[in-house]
Amino acid sequence: QVQLVESGGGLVQAGGSLRLSCVASGRTFSRYAMGWFRQVPGKEREFVATINGSGSRTYYVDSVKGRFTISRDNAKNTVYLQMTRLKPEDTAVYYCAADREFRLVGTTDGNDYDFWGQGTQVTVSS
């Protein structure tokens, strides 16, 4: 069992930046692809970014490419989401997730992820 704890959310003005962190329990963190997803009340959960276990491969939803960066520090069991040039439409609860299946590239399907954090709220004001 892996526990994930997100932090770093908050209120920021449009154009600002935030860095989300997600700390994982356990000794096998480097084996897991990690993903960030977001959800707005009343809407479906949306894929944001993923990174493979080694950190060598990443993938983003088009709407955040060039603005968000996913990274990881396996020595700290932590995955990050650096968010820049934030827009009001980025407002959501952000969740990190771990996929215990070995993959060369993380997936965009939330159903492939086995463990989820509790979420952290990001609010971008216009």
Side-chain angles (χ1 to χ4, degrees):
Q1 191 74 9
V2 174
Q3 293 185 327
L4 303 173
V5 179
E6 302 100 333
S7 62
L11 173 64
V12 63
Q13 288 188 332
S17 299
L18 282 175
R19 187 176 81 157
L20 305 183
S21 300
C22 173
V23 180
S25 65
R27 301 180 180 179
T28 57
F29 177 72
S30 63
R31 298 180 187 176
Y32 302 144
M34 299 295 295
W36 285 98
F37 292 78
R38 63 189 179 186
Q39 189 167 23
V40 175
K43 294 189 176 182
E44 290 188 357
R45 180 178 58 200
E46 178 187 29
F47 164 79
V48 177
T50 185
I51 187 167
N52 67 349
S54 67
S56 62
R57 296 192 181 188
T58 60
Y59 185 77
Y60 302 88
V61 67
D62 285 346
S63 61
V64 309
K65 284 180 180 177
R67 299 189 300 122
F68 290 10
T69 302
I70 187 171
S71 62
R72 66 191 296 160
D73 184 338
N74 287 342
K76 296 182 178 179
N77 276 21
T78 303
V79 62
Y80 304 97
L81 186 67
Q82 177 69 50
M83 305 185 294
T84 65
R85 291 185 283 144
L86 282 160
K87 304 175 181 180
E89 50 265 42
D90 294 318
T91 295
V93 177
Y94 283 71
Y95 299 90
C96 72
D99 175 7
R100 60 186 172 187
E101 183 78 19
F102 174 76
R103 302 181 197 276
L104 292 178
V105 181
T107 79
T108 63
D109 186 349
N111 293 319
D112 289 330
Y113 290 81
D114 303 288
F115 307 105
W116 292 82
Q118 82 289 349
T120 186
Q121 176 70 46
V122 171
T123 303
V124 184
S125 63
S126 57

